[in-house]
Amino acid sequence: NAQEMQQSAIGVDISESAARESDLLAFEIAIERGNPGAVMCAYNHFNGPFSCGSDFLLNKVLKQDWNYPGFVMSDWGANHATADALAGLDRESGEEFDAQIYFGAPLQALDGKDPAYTARITDMNQRILRSMIANHLFDDPPKLATPDIARGEAAARAEAAAGTVLLRNNGILPLLKTARRIAVIGGYANIGVMSGGGSSQVAPQSGPALAIPTTFAADDWQAMILLPGAPVKAIAARAPGAHVTFDNGAYPAFAAARAREADVAIVFATQWTTEGLDVPDLNLPNGQDELIAAVAAANPHTIVVLETGGPVLMPWLDKTAAVLEAWYPGIRGADAIADILFGDVNPSGKLPITFPASLADTPHPVLDGLFDFDGRQHVNYDIEGSDVGYRWVDRKGLTPLFPFGFGLSYTSFRYDDLQLRSEGNTIHASVTVTNTGNRAGRDTPEVYVTARGNAKGQRLIGWANVDLAPGASVKVSVDADPRLLADWSTPRQRWQVPAGRYDVTVNASSATPLLTGATGLEARLLPP
């Protein structure tokens, strides 16, 4: 389900090998490690049938090849026929959104009359009960208790700070707590922090700081919500001797005048996104690029804090002193942002996606069906195939705005002594990481394969997380999942490891190799 607009009309067209090596592999690994009781099928079509009626996805891949013992539930409104049961769907969820209740009376009428449906109904019930029993829903039912709000908010604050990515810093951060004049501008920073919309939207116990109805919202679940905790107050609390002002950024000239009078200007920029809606481009909405440019021109000590759901373009980047990507930072997001700005927490987040330098550098610069509501759309995902994200960048020789895996720190790290060992179907890599700065910090060395036999192309095969005091060193190991070294052979229906030399790098990001090495593997077919 790679896009939100027209999601029930989108037809994904992709080869089996490309699907197996990209999204399906991600699900395969997640199911193996997470052991979920249920899997949800999507709205879109997949190589023809709807996902919730895809015999290939649900029966062949999920239940047969991956031997998944749990049950499959539909997304709300994604069931289209009683025959979806034969394709592997076990539970019709959100049936009030379907044209009719397909797994009600129509399915019951076939029980005992059609052997295929009778067997399938038995299997459906067994799978659902199996997951309920495996997760102790009968012998250890959930007990209502008073929630520990303080503990939950502390965890949210720590997670938000850990996920914040420092993208640019000319030395202005961390801010001194003795700063005298701080201008905070834009982004509803006097009210709260941005939260993404959709069915994953949650409201705090105290209620949202602000809920703004949108033209896209059929119900409250698609309103734009700000979570309580004003960044202005969190910043002022860290610098009690400072004069902190706020401007809403509605008029760039006024904001620039406010910034000109300050020692430091902090611009909060927001991009609200929601389930069911895609953004048409990668620009910040509502003239925020012009606002940032005006403020940065007025004050060279301008820091930008981004609250976005994905990558954005930054035409003003070189004029700023620092940029933080805070994403949607949650219930204690304002405090988490202040923790990073003032150095109470060392930034350690790494980008989980590529920030392209241009919309033209993406495989699909214009989303299919974004402005066309005339019915089913076919999207050719074989354009990129399994070369998604950083692999597309590598294949095309592009220079991104910020590469996958990128993230700065207030300290520095060095990698030494890369050792590689081949064993059976996999590669074992070890490297020594040293904190060469004067602050404690966390680092994430990333291990990539850049060539496999005669095959070229970058693949992330693993990473490690290390927390180090200044001057401390530790040796970390990464063991590659064999499937990350292999290619999917559709004729053989197996993973196939190519023979030959394997070039390996240890990187600070997908674009920054720091150590290189090589080993070799023999040709192998992985077990089915």
Side-chain angles (χ1 to χ4, degrees), residues 232-477:
V232 169
K233 293 182 179 179
I235 290 167
R238 303 306 172 87
H243 177 56
V244 180
T245 61
F246 176 74
D247 183 277
N248 66 12
Y251 295 98
F254 288 167
R258 183 81 73 178
R260 198 172 290 114
E261 298 171 353
D263 300 319
V264 175
I266 306 175
V267 182
F268 283 77
T270 61
Q271 177 204 52
W272 178 75
T273 54
T274 179
E275 178 184 7
L277 178 70
D278 289 302
V279 294
D281 54 44
L282 298 179
N283 299 304
L284 286 169
N286 304 320
Q288 293 178 96
D289 286 325
E290 291 79 3
L291 169 66
I292 297 170
V295 171
N299 189 330
H301 303 131
T302 293
I303 300 162
V304 178
V305 178
L306 296 168
E307 297 174 29
T308 73
V312 292
L313 302 179
M314 304 180 200
W316 35 261
L317 179 65
D318 292 343
K319 305 297 189 221
T320 61
V323 178
L324 277 181
E325 176 56 82
W327 315 106
Y328 299 143
I331 184 62
R332 293 297 298 275
D335 287 320
I337 291 169
D339 287 340
I340 298 289
L341 288 175
F342 287 94
D344 296 319
V345 174
N346 185 49
S348 62
K350 301 288 186 178
L351 286 182
I353 49 179
T354 300
F355 277 46
S358 165
L359 189 62
D361 289 347
T362 64
H364 302 269
V366 178
L367 289 180
D368 298 83
L370 185 61
F371 302 111
D372 181 2
F373 301 97
D374 292 334
R376 185 164 174 174
Q377 306 284 332
H378 282 274
V379 184
N380 178 17
Y381 283 103
D382 280 322
I383 292 173
E384 66 268 44
S386 60
D387 290 329
V388 179
Y390 70 89
R391 288 172 54 175
W392 172 261
V393 170
D394 179 62
R395 179 171 127 189
K396 292 294 184 178
L398 301 170
T399 301
L401 185 64
F402 292 104
F404 170 85
F406 180 85
L408 301 176
S409 172
Y410 295 153
T411 188
S412 55
F413 299 92
R414 187 183 72 239
Y415 302 154
D416 298 292
D417 191 26
L418 171 61
Q419 296 182 0
L420 300 172
R421 177 170 56 88
S422 300
E423 183 180 12
N425 301 325
T426 190
I427 293 172
H428 307 279
S430 65
V431 63
T432 299
V433 184
T434 303
N435 184 342
T436 56
N438 56 11
R439 287 175 175 264
R442 171 176 291 184
D443 188 46
T444 308
E446 305 162 25
V447 182
Y448 293 82
V449 162
T450 58
R452 303 169 298 120
N454 295 322
K456 303 295 182 181
Q458 190 178 35
R459 290 188 179 185
L460 177 69
I461 60 172
W463 65 91
N465 294 121
V466 291
D467 291 284
L468 291 172
S473 298
V474 67
K475 187 175 185 178
V476 298
S477 298

